[in-house]
Amino acid sequence: MTNLEKFAYAGMISCSTPSPNRVGYFSPTTLHSEIEAGAASIQSTVVLGTGSCLCTNNEGIAIGDVNPNTGHIHPGRVTVEKDAWIGHIGDKGGNILTIGKCADGVLIINSGKGLFGKGDIVNPAAHIATVKVNEGMLLAHHIRMENPLSSLTIRNGIVRTEAVAGRFTTWVFSGLYTIGSTAKAGEIRLTGRGSLLFGISSHKLSAADMGHAGVNFIGDGGALIVRLDDTGASLSQTYEAEAFFDALLKEGKLKRDDQPVKDFAGFKMAKVIGHDNHCYAVLRPMQEGSIRKLMPDALKKFFYGDTKQTYGL
C-alpha cells in the first residue's frame, strides 16, 4: 500500500493547498504510475493498470465531461484493474467524483479500489452513471445518483457508504453493500450471496431510514443484516430486530421476486456476533445450509474473524 493510498483510506489528511495541475483524458489511455492531480476530467476510455493510481487533492474527478478546448461533450469510462486505485486524498467533503457530469459515465472496478474518504459520488439527473464493482472495493461518504437509469452493481466486491440517495437501482450478487445510516434511493436487489449490511452508524434502527423502494430478494438468495443495540438483553435484541423487519414489511419496503412480502413465511432470521463483538440480525430467504456457508467471503471474514482485515466495517 502506497502512502497516498493510506491517506485515501483515512480520508483525513489535511491538504489545504490543492495540487496545481489539472489533467484531462481526451483519448483512450492506460496509466502505469501514480498521478496526483488538482482535478481530473475523463472524456474517453481510461484504464488504470496494475499498481497505478489517479487521485485528486481536494478537487474533483469528472467522468463524462466537456472538452474545454473544443466545447465538445464526450462520455467517459474508467476501469480500475488489480492493485490500482482511483480516489481522493484531501480532507474536503462534497462532490468529489461526478459520474455523468456532461455525458454518460462508467466506473468499473476489477480487483482495484475506489477510495474517496469524506468525498461523495454524485450523478446528475441528465445523464446515466454505471458503476460496477466486480472485485475490490469502493468507499465514499455518500452516493447520490439522480438518473433512474443509473445503476450500481456489486458482483463480488465491497461497497461502503454512510448514506445513499437518488433514484438509481443497486444489484448485489455475491458481494457486501454497507450503508451506515440511510438508504433513500432506488431499489436494492439482493440475490445469490449478496448481502446488505444496514444501519451500522445508527443509534436506533428505524424503518424510516430505508427509502420507499426498499429491498427486493431475488430467488432464494440475498441477506439483509442490521446492527442491534449492544446494551440490551438478548431478548430485547430479538424484539428490536423483529420490530424493524416487521415495520419494513408493513410499509411495503420488503419484496421477493418483485412482489411485496406479506409475511415472513419462507424467511429465516438469526442473530450473529461479529468479529467486532457487536450483535447483528440477519434476515434471508429460507435456504439449505448455514448462514456462514451462504455469506459472501468478505462478510464471513468480518463476522467470524478469519482475517484481521475488517474492511472498515
Side-chain angles (χ1 to χ4, degrees):
M1 183 185 297
T2 67
N3 287 330
L4 287 179
E5 193 173 357
K6 291 176 184 176
F7 294 145
Y9 267 113
M12 295 293 288
I13 181 174
S14 179
C15 298
S16 58
T17 304
S19 298
N21 58 312
R22 300 176 62 89
V23 296
Y25 296 96
F26 312 124
S27 60
T29 305
T30 299
L31 303 181
H32 298 285
S33 60
E34 293 189 352
I35 295 178
E36 179 187 352
S41 174
I42 312 296
Q43 302 163 41
S44 185
T45 299
V46 174
V47 176
L48 276 64
T50 300
S52 68
C53 83
L54 173 61
C55 66
T56 62
N57 184 334
N58 275 339
E59 296 294 334
I61 299 173
I63 302 177
D65 204 357
V66 59
N67 187 321
N69 299 320
T70 65
H72 295 162
I73 296 172
H74 302 281
R77 179 186 181 97
V78 176
T79 302
V80 186
E81 299 294 356
K82 184 177 180 180
D83 297 328
W85 65 281
I86 183 172
H88 167 58
I89 63 172
D91 56 0
K92 178 182 176 182
N95 301 347
I96 296 299
L97 175 63
T98 303
I99 305 176
K101 181 178 180 180
C102 299
D104 293 349
V106 178
L107 173 63
I108 300 175
I109 297 180
N110 294 329
S111 299
K113 305 180 188 75
L115 306 173
F116 294 95
K118 295 180 180 179
D120 299 342
I121 297 174
V122 298
N123 158 236
H127 304 288
I128 298 172
T130 302
V131 181
K132 296 181 180 180
V133 182
N134 297 325
E135 293 276 358
M137 65 178 67
L138 176 63
L139 310 180
H141 184 54
H142 289 161
I143 298 176
R144 300 190 309 275
M145 299 200 294
E146 300 295 342
N147 190 303
L149 298 179
S150 293
S151 62
L152 167 62
T153 302
I154 308 168
R155 293 203 170 272
N156 197 23
I158 301 166
V159 174
R160 180 185 174 165
T161 183
E162 181 61 25
V164 297
R167 302 171 67 191
F168 69 100
T169 299
T170 301
W171 275 94
V172 190
F173 287 91
S174 185
L176 176 59
Y177 190 24
T178 303
I179 301 175
S181 58
T182 57
K184 296 187 176 181
E187 193 172 76
I188 299 172
R189 300 171 71 88
L190 304 175
T191 188
R193 293 199 299 162
S195 299
L196 170 62
L197 180 55
F198 178 69
I200 61 172
S201 300
S202 303
H203 296 292
K204 186 173 180 61
L205 289 171
S206 172
D209 292 333
M210 180 73 73
H212 178 72
V215 175
N216 192 346
F217 296 91
I218 305 299
D220 293 329
L224 172 58
I225 304 151
V226 294
R227 179 173 164 179
L228 303 177
D229 182 1
D230 293 308
T231 64
S234 178
L235 189 58
S236 298
Q237 291 174 337
T238 301
Y239 287 152
E240 180 188 12
E242 290 177 344
F244 175 71
F245 293 138
D246 192 51
L248 292 180
L249 182 146
K250 290 178 179 178
E251 295 180 17
K253 297 176 180 178
L254 290 180
K255 296 179 183 178
R256 187 167 184 185
D257 293 325
D258 300 322
Q259 300 300 315
V261 173
K262 298 181 179 180
D263 55 50
F264 290 108
F267 282 84
K268 181 176 182 178
M269 190 187 86
K271 289 196 300 181
V272 180
I273 302 298
H275 191 45
D276 59 356
N277 294 320
H278 292 302
C279 186
Y280 297 83
V282 182
L283 178 70
R284 64 179 176 89
M286 196 76 72
Q287 303 174 51
E288 293 289 334
S290 68
I291 285 180
R292 177 169 183 166
K293 179 180 179 181
L294 297 168
M295 284 180 179
D297 291 341
L299 190 60
K300 196 182 301 181
K301 292 172 183 177
F302 172 59
F303 277 148
Y304 297 104
D306 295 339
T307 177
K308 294 180 180 179
Q309 171 62 276
T310 60
Y311 301 100
L313 301 180

